[in-house]
Each structure stands twice: as structure tokens, then as C-alpha cells.
Amino acid sequence: MRFLLVGLLILLTAGCVATKPPKEPSTDTINSNLDCRVGLPLSCFTLGNKYRDGKGVDRDYLKAVQAYELSCDFGFNPGCHSLGEMYYSGNGVKQDYVTAATYLNEACLSGYKWSCLRLASLYDSGYGVERDVDKAAALYNRACDKNFSEGCLTLGTRYYNGYYTQQGVEQDYDQAYLYYKIACEQGNGEGCHNLGTLYALGKGVEPDKDKSLGYFQLACKSGYEPSCLKTNEPHDKKKNTIPFYLKQYVKINYQEKAKELESL
């Protein structure tokens, strides 16, 4: 009898754990929901992010998609971009690269740089669109020309690794250096790190240990951890990591630093 009672107690306890109550929506989520209903696109977008990430509510990709659709219908580019990403990944909807490309193209044409970058990757791979490396390069360049460092970084990596054309694989370390330098000057830590790698290996430039170390140090200061490992400098994520969209407000002048390194 004693063992029977213990067994029943364990089952009851397990049942309590299994029937955990659902997360109550936060006040912010409720407010976003109400604002979204009255036609505020930013609120719809914010609501979509909360359902996508499970912040303040249980994660629900379908509700995230619905919120992004409303945001996009109001002409809010980040909403269209996020909707395209949901179709790209197949979260909350059936994976559909064609539909993803449609929404990403809409946001890109309206000037949303993240969408241009993702759309370029679709043209590079041929997902949802006919494969076209020239269109991909044009989109990467459009992002880079608008001072979007991720576009410049991607172009640099494209030239560094080589990419497929009708004539075969095209690889150009000189062009890789050019675009990595632009990315670095825009405050992109990975771009600075890749410049350090080029100088360390002597690809596209003459080997130069001092310049290589200087770029690794600059990348580390921007919060790019792999560079800190190269220089044996401590990396404090809370202190050093700087979102790309805040680089312009940081005291480090990446363009001047890059010029100083080049003059060594």
C-alpha cells in the first residue's frame, strides 16, 4: 500500500508539470494587438516579432505571419521583408521561395536594404527566381552603394571565394580587398577582419604583418570576436558588441583608422 501511494503521488506530480498553464499575453502585446487592429503598421510589425520570437506570448508563427501581412498591406517595408523571410524559411506557412521573392522584391524596390540583400542571395542560388548572378551582383552593389556594409561584405566574400558565371568560376582578390575595405570603413567588424586575413596571407595585397594585426585589432574593437582571438585581446560582448545600425554614433572613426593602417 505504501508503494502504491508513492506511485500515485509521482503520477499526480507529473500530471501537474504536464499541464503547465499557457503564458499570459503581456500588456505590451495586448496594446500592440489593439493598435494593429486600428491600422498602425509599426504595431502590426512589432506584434509579428513578438509572436515569432515568443516574447510576452507563446511562440506562434501563424499569428506572426498574419501580423506581418497586415503590416505589409499598410506599405510597411520591414513587414514585407519579414513576411518574405517567413515564406523563405517556411515558418507559419508552407515554404515558398517564389512568394518569398515577391515580398522581398517589393520591399527592396521601396529601398529596404535587408530585402535587397536577401533577394540577391535568391538570384545567386536560383531559389524562387531564375538564377542570375548579374542581377545578384547588381543587388549587392545597390546595398553597398547605399552604405549598407553587409552588401559590401558579401561582394567581398563573393570575389574572395569565387562565384559561378557562364565562363566558369570567377575569383578576384583585388576586388575582394576593395569591398572588404569599404565594409570596414563603414564599421563592419567582419570586413576589417577579412582585410587582416588578406594581409596575413598576401592575397590581393603584399603580405604585411603589422597591417594584418592592425585590422584584427580594429575588428576586435568593433565587437567581432574572432579577431580578438587573433590578437589575444579580451572580448567583452556587453562592452564591445555594437549593432551595425549604431556604428555611425560610435566614437571610432573606421574610415580614418583604415587610412592610417594603409599608410603604414
Side-chain angles (χ1 to χ4, degrees), residues 202-241:
K203 292 184 175 181
V205 291
E206 290 294 322
D208 191 316
K209 290 183 179 180
D210 291 334
K211 287 182 180 179
S212 176
L213 179 61
Y215 277 116
F216 285 142
Q217 290 172 336
L218 184 58
C220 179
K221 288 178 181 177
S222 78
Y224 192 67
E225 189 171 2
S227 292
C228 301
L229 299 175
K230 291 275 188 182
T231 59
N232 294 320
E233 293 185 11
H235 174 68
D236 185 342
K237 290 184 179 180
K238 291 183 179 179
K239 181 179 179 180
N240 292 330
T241 302

Side-chain angles (χ1 to χ4, degrees), residues 27 30 70 165 213 251:
T27 304
I30 293 171
L70 286 171
T165 66
L213 179 61
K251 291 182 179 179

Side-chain angles (χ1 to χ4, degrees), residues 238-263:
K238 291 183 179 179
K239 181 179 179 180
N240 292 330
T241 302
I242 306 164
F244 75 91
Y245 49 83
L246 293 180
K247 299 289 187 187
Q248 59 183 311
Y249 303 110
V250 179
K251 291 182 179 179
I252 299 174
N253 188 322
Y254 290 89
Q255 194 166 9
E256 287 301 318
K257 288 288 184 181
K259 286 180 180 178
E260 290 173 12
L261 288 169
E262 290 300 314
S263 65

Side-chain angles (χ1 to χ4, degrees), residues 175-188:
Q175 288 295 308
Y177 166 82
L178 173 65
Y179 285 108
Y180 284 150
K181 188 169 184 294
I182 295 172
C184 179
E185 289 176 351
Q186 292 174 353
N188 188 295

